Coordinates of all heavy atoms in Angstrom, one line a residue:
M1 N 42.9 165.2 81.9 CA 42.1 164.5 80.8 C 42.7 164.7 79.5 O 43.5 165.6 79.2 CB 40.7 165.4 80.7 CG 39.8 164.9 79.7 SD 38.2 165.6 79.6 CE 38.3 167.3 79.7
I2 N 42.6 163.7 78.6 CA 43.2 163.7 77.4 C 42.1 163.6 76.3 O 41.1 162.9 76.4 CB 44.0 162.3 77.0 CG1 45.1 162.1 78.2 CG2 44.6 162.3 75.6 CD1 46.2 163.1 78.1
K3 N 42.1 164.6 75.3 CA 41.2 164.6 74.2 C 41.8 163.8 73.0 O 43.1 164.1 72.8 CB 40.9 166.0 73.9 CG 40.1 166.7 74.9 CD 39.5 167.9 74.5 CE 38.5 168.5 75.6 NZ 37.8 169.7 75.3
H4 N 41.1 163.0 72.3 CA 41.6 162.2 71.3 C 40.7 162.5 70.1 O 39.5 162.1 70.2 CB 41.7 160.7 71.7 CG 42.0 159.7 70.6 ND1 43.2 159.6 70.0 CD2 41.3 158.7 70.0 CE1 43.2 158.6 69.1 NE2 42.0 158.1 69.2
I5 N 41.3 163.0 69.1 CA 40.5 163.4 67.8 C 41.1 162.8 66.7 O 42.3 163.0 66.3 CB 40.3 165.0 67.7 CG1 39.7 165.6 69.0 CG2 39.5 165.2 66.5 CD1 39.8 167.0 69.1
V6 N 40.3 162.1 65.9 CA 40.8 161.4 64.7 C 39.8 161.7 63.6 O 38.6 161.7 63.7 CB 41.0 159.9 64.8 CG1 41.6 159.4 63.6 CG2 41.7 159.6 66.1
M7 N 40.5 162.0 62.4 CA 39.6 162.2 61.2 C 40.1 161.4 59.9 O 41.3 161.2 59.9 CB 39.7 163.7 60.7 CG 39.1 164.6 61.8 SD 39.1 166.4 61.2 CE 40.9 166.7 61.0
W8 N 39.1 160.9 59.2 CA 39.5 160.0 58.1 C 38.8 160.5 56.8 O 37.6 160.8 56.8 CB 39.0 158.6 58.4 CG 39.6 157.9 59.4 CD1 40.8 157.1 59.5 CD2 39.1 157.8 60.8 NE1 41.1 156.6 60.8 CE2 40.0 157.0 61.6 CE3 38.0 158.4 61.5 CZ2 39.9 156.8 62.9 CZ3 37.9 158.1 62.8 CH2 38.7 157.3 63.5
Q9 N 39.7 160.4 55.7 CA 39.1 160.6 54.4 C 39.0 159.1 53.9 O 40.0 158.4 54.0 CB 40.0 161.4 53.5 CG 39.9 162.9 53.7 CD 40.8 163.6 52.8 OE1 41.9 163.0 52.2 NE2 40.5 164.9 52.5
L10 N 37.9 158.8 53.3 CA 37.6 157.5 52.8 C 37.9 157.4 51.2 O 37.6 158.4 50.6 CB 36.3 157.0 53.2 CG 35.9 157.0 54.6 CD1 34.6 156.3 55.0 CD2 37.1 156.4 55.4
K11 N 38.2 156.3 50.8 CA 38.3 156.0 49.4 C 36.9 156.0 48.8 O 35.9 155.7 49.5 CB 38.9 154.6 49.1 CG 40.3 154.5 49.7 CD 40.9 153.1 49.5 CE 42.3 153.0 50.2 NZ 42.8 151.5 50.2
D12 N 36.8 156.4 47.4 CA 35.4 156.4 46.9 C 34.9 155.0 46.7 O 33.6 154.9 47.0 CB 35.7 156.9 45.4 CG 36.0 158.3 45.3 OD1 35.6 159.1 46.3 OD2 36.6 158.8 44.4
F13 N 35.8 154.0 46.6 CA 35.1 152.6 46.6 C 36.3 151.7 47.3 O 37.4 151.8 47.0 CB 35.0 152.1 45.2 CG 34.2 151.0 45.0 CD1 32.8 150.9 45.2 CD2 34.8 149.6 44.9 CE1 32.1 149.7 45.1 CE2 34.1 148.5 44.7 CZ 32.7 148.4 44.9
A14 N 35.9 150.9 48.3 CA 36.7 149.9 48.9 C 36.0 148.9 49.6 O 34.9 149.0 50.0 CB 37.6 150.7 49.9
E15 N 36.6 147.7 49.7 CA 35.9 146.5 50.4 C 34.5 146.2 49.8 O 33.7 145.8 50.5 CB 35.9 146.8 51.8 CG 37.2 146.9 52.5 CD 38.0 145.7 52.5 OE1 37.7 144.7 53.2 OE2 39.1 145.8 51.8
G16 N 34.4 146.4 48.5 CA 33.2 146.2 47.9 C 32.0 147.1 48.1 O 30.9 146.8 47.7
A17 N 32.3 148.3 48.6 CA 31.3 149.2 48.9 C 31.6 150.7 48.5 O 33.0 150.9 48.5 CB 30.9 149.2 50.3
D18 N 30.7 151.6 48.3 CA 31.1 152.8 48.2 C 31.4 153.6 49.4 O 31.3 153.2 50.5 CB 29.9 153.6 47.3 CG 28.6 153.7 48.1 OD1 28.7 153.5 49.4 OD2 27.6 154.0 47.6
R19 N 31.8 155.0 49.3 CA 32.3 155.8 50.4 C 31.3 156.0 51.5 O 31.5 155.8 52.7 CB 32.7 157.1 49.9 CG 33.1 158.1 51.0 CD 33.4 159.5 50.4 NE 34.2 159.6 49.3 CZ 35.4 160.2 49.2 NH1 35.7 161.0 50.2 NH2 36.1 160.1 48.1
A20 N 30.1 156.2 51.1 CA 28.9 156.4 52.2 C 28.5 155.1 52.9 O 28.4 155.1 54.0 CB 27.6 156.9 51.4
T21 N 28.7 154.0 52.1 CA 28.4 152.7 52.9 C 29.5 152.4 53.9 O 29.2 152.1 55.0 CB 28.1 151.5 51.9 OG1 27.2 151.9 51.0 CG2 27.9 150.2 52.6
N22 N 30.7 152.6 53.4 CA 31.9 152.4 54.3 C 31.9 153.3 55.5 O 32.3 153.0 56.6 CB 33.1 152.4 53.5 CG 33.4 151.1 52.7 OD1 32.8 150.0 53.1 ND2 34.0 151.2 51.7
A23 N 31.5 154.6 55.2 CA 31.5 155.6 56.4 C 30.5 155.1 57.5 O 30.7 155.2 58.7 CB 31.2 156.9 55.8
A24 N 29.3 154.8 57.0 CA 28.2 154.3 57.9 C 28.7 153.0 58.7 O 28.6 153.0 59.9 CB 26.9 154.0 57.2
L25 N 29.3 152.1 58.0 CA 29.9 150.9 58.7 C 30.9 151.2 59.6 O 31.1 150.7 60.7 CB 30.3 149.9 57.6 CG 30.8 148.5 58.2 CD1 29.8 147.8 59.0 CD2 31.1 147.6 57.0
M26 N 31.9 152.1 59.2 CA 33.0 152.6 60.1 C 32.4 153.2 61.4 O 32.9 153.0 62.4 CB 33.8 153.5 59.3 CG 35.1 153.9 59.9 SD 36.1 154.9 58.9 CE 37.2 155.6 60.0
R27 N 31.4 154.0 61.2 CA 30.7 154.6 62.4 C 30.2 153.5 63.3 O 30.5 153.6 64.5 CB 29.6 155.6 62.0 CG 29.0 156.3 63.1 CD 27.9 157.3 62.6 NE 27.4 158.1 63.7 CZ 26.5 157.8 64.5 NH1 25.9 156.5 64.4 NH2 26.0 158.5 65.4
E28 N 29.5 152.6 62.8 CA 29.0 151.5 63.7 C 30.2 150.8 64.4 O 30.0 150.5 65.6 CB 28.3 150.5 62.9 CG 27.0 151.0 62.3 CD 26.2 149.9 61.5 OE1 26.5 148.7 61.7 OE2 25.5 150.3 60.6
K29 N 31.2 150.5 63.7 CA 32.4 149.7 64.3 C 33.1 150.7 65.4 O 33.4 150.2 66.5 CB 33.4 149.4 63.2 CG 32.9 148.3 62.3 CD 33.8 148.0 61.2 CE 33.5 147.0 60.3 NZ 33.6 145.6 60.9
L30 N 33.2 151.9 65.0 CA 33.9 152.8 66.1 C 32.9 152.9 67.3 O 33.3 152.9 68.4 CB 34.1 154.1 65.4 CG 35.3 154.2 64.5 CD1 35.2 155.5 63.8 CD2 36.6 154.1 65.3
L31 N 31.6 153.0 67.1 CA 30.8 153.2 68.2 C 30.7 151.9 69.1 O 30.4 152.1 70.3 CB 29.3 153.6 67.8 CG 29.1 155.1 67.2 CD1 27.8 155.3 66.7 CD2 29.5 156.0 68.4
S32 N 31.1 150.8 68.6 CA 31.1 149.6 69.3 C 32.2 149.6 70.4 O 32.2 148.9 71.3 CB 31.2 148.4 68.4 OG 32.5 148.3 67.9
C33 N 33.1 150.6 70.3 CA 34.1 150.8 71.1 C 34.0 151.8 72.2 O 34.8 152.1 73.0 CB 35.5 151.1 70.4 SG 36.1 149.9 69.3
A34 N 32.7 152.5 72.2 CA 32.4 153.5 73.1 C 32.7 153.3 74.6 O 33.0 154.3 75.2 CB 31.1 154.1 72.9
N35 N 32.5 152.0 75.1 CA 32.7 151.8 76.5 C 33.5 150.7 76.8 O 33.3 150.0 77.8 CB 31.2 151.7 77.1 CG 30.4 152.8 76.9 OD1 30.8 153.9 77.5 ND2 29.2 152.8 76.3
I36 N 34.5 150.3 76.0 CA 35.3 149.2 76.2 C 36.3 149.2 77.3 O 36.6 148.1 77.7 CB 35.9 148.7 74.9 CG1 36.9 149.7 74.4 CG2 34.8 148.4 73.9 CD1 37.8 149.4 73.2
V37 N 36.6 150.3 77.8 CA 37.5 150.4 79.0 C 37.1 151.5 80.0 O 36.4 152.4 79.5 CB 38.9 150.7 78.6 CG1 39.5 149.6 77.6 CG2 39.1 152.0 77.8
P38 N 37.4 151.3 81.2 CA 37.0 152.4 82.1 C 37.9 153.6 81.8 O 39.0 153.6 81.2 CB 37.6 151.9 83.4 CG 37.7 150.4 83.3 CD 38.0 150.1 81.8
G39 N 37.4 154.9 82.1 CA 38.1 156.0 81.8 C 37.7 156.8 80.4 O 38.1 157.8 80.2
I40 N 36.8 156.2 79.7 CA 36.3 156.9 78.4 C 35.2 157.8 79.0 O 34.1 157.4 79.5 CB 35.7 156.0 77.5 CG1 36.8 155.0 77.0 CG2 35.1 156.7 76.2 CD1 36.4 153.9 76.0
L41 N 35.4 159.1 78.9 CA 34.5 160.1 79.4 C 33.5 160.5 78.3 O 32.4 161.0 78.6 CB 35.3 161.3 79.9 CG 36.3 161.0 81.0 CD1 37.2 162.2 81.3 CD2 35.7 160.4 82.2
S42 N 33.9 160.5 77.0 CA 33.0 161.0 76.0 C 33.5 160.4 74.7 O 34.7 160.1 74.5 CB 33.3 162.5 75.8 OG 32.5 163.0 74.7
F43 N 32.5 160.0 73.8 CA 33.0 159.2 72.6 C 31.9 159.5 71.6 O 30.8 159.2 71.8 CB 33.0 157.7 73.0 CG 33.8 156.9 72.0 CD1 35.0 156.5 72.2 CD2 33.2 156.4 70.8 CE1 35.8 155.8 71.3 CE2 33.8 155.7 69.9 CZ 35.1 155.2 70.1
E44 N 32.3 160.2 70.5 CA 31.3 160.6 69.5 C 31.9 160.5 68.2 O 33.0 160.7 67.8 CB 31.1 162.2 69.7 CG 30.2 162.8 68.8 CD 29.9 164.3 69.1 OE1 29.7 164.6 70.3 OE2 30.1 165.2 68.2
V45 N 31.1 159.9 67.3 CA 31.5 159.6 66.0 C 30.6 160.2 65.0 O 29.3 160.1 65.1 CB 31.6 158.0 65.5 CG1 32.0 157.9 64.2 CG2 32.5 157.3 66.6
A46 N 31.1 161.1 64.1 CA 30.2 161.9 63.1 C 30.6 161.6 61.7 O 31.8 161.4 61.4 CB 30.2 163.4 63.6
L47 N 29.6 161.7 60.8 CA 29.9 161.6 59.4 C 29.7 163.0 58.8 O 29.0 163.7 59.2 CB 29.0 160.7 58.8 CG 28.9 159.2 59.3 CD1 28.0 158.3 58.6 CD2 30.4 158.7 59.4
A48 N 30.5 163.2 57.7 CA 30.3 164.5 56.9 C 28.8 164.7 56.6 O 28.2 163.7 56.2 CB 31.2 164.6 55.7
Q49 N 28.2 165.8 56.7 CA 26.8 166.0 56.3 C 26.8 167.1 55.2 O 27.3 168.1 55.2 CB 26.1 166.6 57.6 CG 26.2 165.5 58.8 CD 25.7 166.2 60.0 OE1 25.0 167.2 60.0 NE2 25.9 165.6 61.2
P50 N 25.8 166.7 54.3 CA 25.6 167.6 53.1 C 25.2 168.9 53.7 O 24.4 169.1 54.6 CB 24.4 167.0 52.3 CG 24.5 165.6 52.7 CD 25.0 165.5 54.2
G51 N 25.7 170.0 53.0 CA 25.4 171.4 53.5 C 26.2 172.0 54.6 O 26.2 173.2 54.9
L52 N 27.1 171.2 55.1 CA 28.1 171.7 56.2 C 29.4 171.4 55.7 O 29.7 170.4 55.0 CB 27.8 170.8 57.5 CG 26.4 171.2 58.2 CD1 26.3 170.3 59.4 CD2 26.2 172.6 58.4
E53 N 30.3 172.3 55.9 CA 31.6 172.1 55.6 C 32.4 171.0 56.1 O 32.3 170.6 57.4 CB 32.5 173.4 55.9 CG 33.9 173.4 55.3 CD 34.7 174.6 55.5 OE1 34.2 175.6 55.9 OE2 35.9 174.6 55.3
A54 N 33.1 170.2 55.3 CA 33.8 169.0 55.8 C 34.9 168.7 54.7 O 34.7 168.6 53.5 CB 32.9 167.8 56.0
T55 N 36.1 168.5 55.1 CA 37.2 168.0 54.3 C 37.5 166.6 54.6 O 38.3 166.1 53.8 CB 38.4 168.9 54.4 OG1 38.7 168.9 55.8 CG2 38.1 170.4 54.0
Y56 N 36.9 166.0 55.7 CA 37.1 164.6 55.9 C 35.6 163.9 56.0 O 34.8 164.6 56.1 CB 37.8 164.4 57.2 CG 39.3 164.4 57.0 CD1 39.9 165.8 56.7 CD2 40.2 163.4 57.0 CE1 41.3 166.0 56.5 CE2 41.5 163.5 56.7 CZ 42.0 164.8 56.5 OH 43.4 164.9 56.3
D57 N 35.6 162.6 55.9 CA 34.4 161.9 55.9 C 33.9 161.4 57.2 O 32.7 161.4 57.5 CB 34.5 160.6 55.0 CG 34.9 161.1 53.6 OD1 34.1 161.9 53.0 OD2 35.9 160.7 53.1
V58 N 34.8 161.0 58.2 CA 34.4 160.5 59.4 C 35.3 161.1 60.5 O 36.5 161.5 60.2 CB 34.7 159.0 59.5 CG1 34.3 158.4 60.9 CG2 33.9 158.3 58.5
V59 N 34.8 161.5 61.6 CA 35.5 162.1 62.8 C 35.1 161.5 64.0 O 34.0 161.0 64.2 CB 35.4 163.7 62.9 CG1 33.9 164.0 63.2 CG2 36.2 164.2 63.9
L60 N 36.2 161.1 64.8 CA 36.0 160.6 66.2 C 36.5 161.7 67.1 O 37.6 162.1 67.0 CB 36.9 159.3 66.4 CG 37.0 158.8 67.8 CD1 35.6 158.4 68.4 CD2 38.0 157.8 68.0
Y61 N 35.6 162.1 68.1 CA 35.9 162.9 69.2 C 35.8 162.1 70.4 O 34.7 161.7 70.7 CB 35.1 164.2 69.1 CG 35.2 165.1 70.3 CD1 36.3 166.0 70.3 CD2 34.5 164.9 71.6 CE1 36.5 166.8 71.5 CE2 34.8 165.7 72.7 CZ 35.8 166.6 72.6 OH 36.0 167.4 73.8
S62 N 36.9 162.1 71.1 CA 36.6 161.3 72.4 C 37.5 161.9 73.6 O 38.5 162.7 73.2 CB 37.1 159.9 72.2 OG 38.4 159.7 71.6
E63 N 37.1 161.7 74.8 CA 37.9 162.3 75.9 C 38.1 161.0 76.9 O 37.2 160.2 77.1 CB 37.0 163.2 76.6 CG 36.7 164.5 75.8 CD 35.8 165.6 76.5 OE1 35.2 165.2 77.6 OE2 35.7 166.7 76.0
F64 N 39.3 161.0 77.4 CA 39.7 160.0 78.4 C 40.2 160.6 79.6 O 40.8 161.7 79.6 CB 40.9 159.2 77.7 CG 40.4 158.4 76.5 CD1 40.4 159.1 75.3 CD2 40.0 157.1 76.7 CE1 39.9 158.3 74.2 CE2 39.7 156.3 75.5 CZ 39.4 157.0 74.3
S65 N 40.0 159.9 80.7 CA 40.4 160.4 82.0 C 41.8 160.5 82.2 O 42.3 161.4 82.9 CB 39.7 159.6 83.2 OG 40.3 158.3 83.0
S66 N 42.6 159.8 81.4 CA 44.1 159.8 81.6 C 44.7 159.2 80.3 O 44.0 158.6 79.5 CB 44.4 158.8 82.8 OG 44.1 157.6 82.6
K67 N 46.0 159.4 80.2 CA 46.8 158.8 79.1 C 46.7 157.2 79.1 O 46.7 156.6 78.1 CB 48.1 159.3 79.2 CG 49.0 158.8 78.1 CD 50.4 159.5 78.0 CE 51.2 159.1 76.8 NZ 52.2 158.0 77.1
Q68 N 46.7 156.7 80.5 CA 46.5 155.2 80.6 C 45.2 154.7 80.1 O 45.2 153.7 79.4 CB 46.7 154.9 82.1 CG 48.2 155.2 82.6 CD 48.5 156.7 82.9 OE1 47.5 157.5 83.0 NE2 49.7 156.9 83.0
A69 N 44.1 155.5 80.2 CA 42.9 155.1 79.7 C 42.8 155.1 78.2 O 42.4 154.2 77.5 CB 41.7 155.9 80.2
L70 N 43.5 156.1 77.6 CA 43.6 156.2 76.2 C 44.5 155.0 75.6 O 44.1 154.4 74.7 CB 44.2 157.5 75.7 CG 44.5 157.6 74.3 CD1 43.4 157.4 73.3 CD2 45.3 159.0 73.9
E71 N 45.5 154.6 76.3 CA 46.4 153.6 75.9 C 45.6 152.3 76.0 O 45.8 151.3 75.2 CB 47.6 153.5 76.8 CG 48.6 154.7 76.3 CD 49.7 154.8 77.3 OE1 49.6 154.2 78.4 OE2 50.7 155.7 77.0
A72 N 44.9 152.1 77.1 CA 44.0 150.9 77.2 C 43.0 150.7 76.1 O 42.8 149.7 75.7 CB 43.2 150.9 78.6
Y73 N 42.4 151.8 75.7 CA 41.5 151.9 74.6 C 42.2 151.4 73.3 O 41.8 150.6 72.6 CB 40.8 153.1 74.4 CG 40.2 153.6 73.2 CD1 39.0 152.9 72.7 CD2 40.9 154.3 72.2 CE1 38.5 153.1 71.5 CE2 40.4 154.5 70.9 CZ 39.1 154.0 70.6 OH 38.6 154.3 69.3
A74 N 43.4 152.0 73.1 CA 44.1 151.8 71.8 C 44.6 150.2 71.8 O 44.6 149.7 70.7 CB 45.3 152.7 71.8
D75 N 44.9 149.7 72.9 CA 45.3 148.3 72.9 C 44.3 147.2 73.0 O 44.5 146.2 72.8 CB 46.3 148.1 74.0 CG 47.6 149.0 73.9 OD1 48.0 149.2 72.7 OD2 48.2 149.2 74.9
H76 N 43.0 147.7 73.2 CA 41.9 146.7 73.5 C 41.6 145.9 72.2 O 41.7 146.4 71.2 CB 40.6 147.6 73.9 CG 39.6 146.6 74.4 ND1 38.7 145.9 73.5 CD2 39.2 146.4 75.6 CE1 37.9 145.2 74.4 NE2 38.2 145.5 75.6
P77 N 41.4 144.6 72.4 CA 41.1 143.7 71.3 C 40.0 144.2 70.4 O 40.2 144.0 69.1 CB 40.9 142.4 72.0 CG 41.6 142.4 73.2 CD 41.4 143.8 73.7
L78 N 39.0 144.8 70.9 CA 37.9 145.1 70.1 C 38.3 146.3 69.2 O 38.0 146.4 68.0 CB 36.6 145.5 70.8 CG 35.4 145.9 70.1 CD1 34.9 144.7 69.2 CD2 34.3 146.3 71.0
H79 N 39.1 147.3 69.7 CA 39.6 148.4 69.0 C 40.6 147.9 67.9 O 40.5 148.3 66.7 CB 40.3 149.4 69.8 CG 40.9 150.6 69.2 ND1 42.2 150.6 68.9 CD2 40.3 151.6 68.5 CE1 42.4 151.8 68.3 NE2 41.4 152.4 68.0
Q80 N 41.4 146.9 68.3 CA 42.4 146.4 67.3 C 41.7 145.7 66.2 O 42.2 145.6 65.0 CB 43.3 145.4 68.0 CG 44.3 146.1 68.9 CD 45.3 147.0 68.3 OE1 45.8 146.7 67.3 NE2 45.5 148.3 68.8
A81 N 40.5 145.0 66.4 CA 39.8 144.2 65.5 C 39.3 145.1 64.4 O 39.1 144.7 63.3 CB 38.7 143.4 66.1
I82 N 38.9 146.4 64.6 CA 38.3 147.3 63.6 C 39.4 147.9 62.8 O 39.2 148.5 61.6 CB 37.4 148.2 64.2 CG1 38.0 149.3 65.0 CG2 36.3 147.6 65.0 CD1 37.2 150.5 65.4
K83 N 40.6 147.9 63.3 CA 41.6 148.6 62.4 C 42.0 148.2 61.1 O 42.1 148.9 60.2 CB 43.0 148.6 63.3 CG 42.8 149.6 64.5 CD 44.0 149.6 65.4 CE 45.2 150.5 64.9 NZ 46.2 150.5 65.9
P84 N 41.8 146.9 60.8 CA 42.0 146.4 59.4 C 41.1 146.9 58.4 O 41.4 147.4 57.3 CB 42.1 144.9 59.4 CG 42.4 144.5 60.9 CD 41.9 145.7 61.7
F85 N 39.8 147.0 59.0 CA 38.7 147.5 58.0 C 39.1 149.0 57.8 O 38.9 149.5 56.7 CB 37.3 147.4 58.6 CG 36.2 148.0 57.9 CD1 35.8 147.6 56.7 CD2 35.7 149.3 58.4 CE1 34.8 148.2 56.0 CE2 34.8 150.0 57.6 CZ 34.3 149.4 56.4
I86 N 39.3 149.8 58.8 CA 39.5 151.1 58.6 C 40.7 151.5 57.8 O 40.7 152.3 56.9 CB 39.7 151.9 60.0 CG1 38.4 151.8 60.8 CG2 40.2 153.3 59.8 CD1 38.5 152.3 62.3
G87 N 41.7 150.7 57.9 CA 42.9 150.9 57.0 C 42.6 150.5 55.6 O 43.2 151.2 54.8
A88 N 41.7 149.6 55.4 CA 41.5 149.1 54.0 C 40.5 150.2 53.3 O 40.6 150.5 52.0 CB 40.7 147.9 53.9
V89 N 39.7 151.0 54.1 CA 38.8 151.9 53.4 C 39.2 153.4 53.5 O 38.7 154.3 52.8 CB 37.3 151.9 54.0 CG1 36.8 150.4 53.8 CG2 37.4 152.3 55.5
R90 N 40.2 153.7 54.2 CA 40.7 155.1 54.3 C 41.7 155.5 53.4 O 42.5 154.6 52.9 CB 41.2 155.2 55.8 CG 42.7 154.8 55.9 CD 43.2 155.2 57.3 NE 44.4 154.5 57.6 CZ 45.7 155.1 57.5 NH1 45.8 156.2 57.0 NH2 46.7 154.4 57.8
D91 N 41.6 156.7 52.9 CA 42.6 157.2 52.1 C 43.6 158.2 52.7 O 44.8 158.2 52.4 CB 41.8 158.2 50.9 CG 42.7 158.3 49.7 OD1 43.5 157.5 49.4 OD2 42.5 159.4 49.1
A92 N 43.1 158.8 53.9 CA 44.0 159.8 54.7 C 43.4 159.6 56.1 O 42.3 159.4 56.2 CB 44.0 161.1 54.1
R93 N 44.4 160.0 57.0 CA 44.0 160.0 58.5 C 44.8 161.1 59.2 O 46.0 161.4 58.8 CB 44.3 158.7 59.1 CG 44.2 158.7 60.6 CD 44.7 157.3 61.1 NE 44.5 157.2 62.7 CZ 45.4 157.6 63.5 NH1 46.5 158.3 63.2 NH2 45.1 157.4 64.8
Q94 N 44.1 161.9 60.1 CA 44.8 162.9 60.8 C 44.4 162.6 62.3 O 43.2 162.1 62.6 CB 44.2 164.3 60.5 CG 44.5 164.7 59.1 CD 46.0 164.9 58.8 OE1 46.8 165.3 59.7 NE2 46.5 164.4 57.6
C95 N 45.2 162.8 63.2 CA 44.9 162.5 64.6 C 45.6 163.6 65.5 O 46.8 164.0 65.2 CB 45.5 161.1 65.0 SG 45.2 160.6 66.7
M96 N 45.0 163.9 66.6 CA 45.6 164.7 67.6 C 45.1 164.3 68.9 O 44.0 164.2 69.1 CB 45.4 166.2 67.4 CG 46.1 167.1 68.3 SD 46.0 168.8 67.7 CE 46.9 169.6 69.0
D97 N 46.1 164.1 69.9 CA 45.8 163.9 71.3 C 46.3 165.1 72.0 O 47.5 165.6 71.7 CB 46.5 162.6 71.7 CG 46.0 161.4 71.0 OD1 44.8 161.3 70.6 OD2 46.7 160.4 71.0
Y98 N 45.6 165.5 73.0 CA 46.2 166.7 73.8 C 45.6 166.6 75.2 O 44.5 166.2 75.4 CB 46.0 168.0 73.3 CG 44.6 168.4 72.9 CD1 43.9 169.2 73.8 CD2 43.9 168.0 71.8 CE1 42.6 169.6 73.4 CE2 42.7 168.3 71.4 CZ 42.0 169.1 72.3 OH 40.7 169.5 72.1
A99 N 46.2 167.2 76.2 CA 45.9 167.1 77.6 C 45.3 168.4 77.8 O 45.8 169.4 77.4 CB 47.0 166.9 78.6
V100 N 44.2 168.4 78.7 CA 43.6 169.7 79.1 C 43.4 169.6 80.6 O 43.5 168.6 81.3 CB 42.2 169.9 78.5 CG1 42.4 170.1 77.0 CG2 41.3 168.7 78.7

């Protein structure tokens, strides 16, 4: 199994919207990818919440049955279609994939 975790810090203002609006839209776009290929075992998108520690605004936690399933997800047209928006609103990105 492969775990795929990505965190994004968002710009204060981008694409005509503020950080909170873009975070919510980004969450919706990411969640639309939750079942796009076989082998996605878990797919969770969360936003930073007031009162809880967070140094990033959006986090994706996902699990894939194999490296091939993760690659199929990464290459899928729906996933590719949301990348320009994410690139436009993000200020920083951190990612880690690991096998368990």
Side-chain angles (χ1 to χ4, degrees):
M1 176 173 50
I2 304 292
K3 293 190 179 189
H4 173 67
I5 302 169
V6 188
M7 298 182 298
W8 297 268
Q9 283 180 337
L10 303 187
K11 297 174 183 174
D12 289 332
F13 192 84
E15 298 296 291
D18 65 12
R19 178 188 305 238
T21 301
N22 283 333
L25 183 55
M26 187 172 165
R27 182 177 185 275
E28 288 178 29
K29 288 177 179 289
L30 286 165
L31 285 174
S32 73
C33 296
N35 295 304
I36 59 174
V37 296
I40 297 176
L41 305 175
S42 177
F43 199 94
E44 182 178 308
V45 181
L47 304 180
Q49 300 173 13
L52 296 175
E53 184 175 353
T55 56
Y56 280 73
D57 300 299
V58 181
V59 63
L60 166 65
Y61 173 85
S62 52
E63 297 175 350
F64 293 83
S65 60
S66 65
K67 185 173 186 257
Q68 293 77 17
L70 174 58
E71 290 168 348
Y73 161 78
D75 293 337
H76 192 279
L78 185 57
H79 179 256
Q80 290 295 317
I82 69 172
K83 289 175 81 173
F85 172 79
I86 293 172
V89 301
R90 76 174 169 102
D91 199 32
R93 176 185 180 271
Q94 298 294 322
C95 179
M96 185 168 179
D97 297 335
Y98 59 97
V100 293

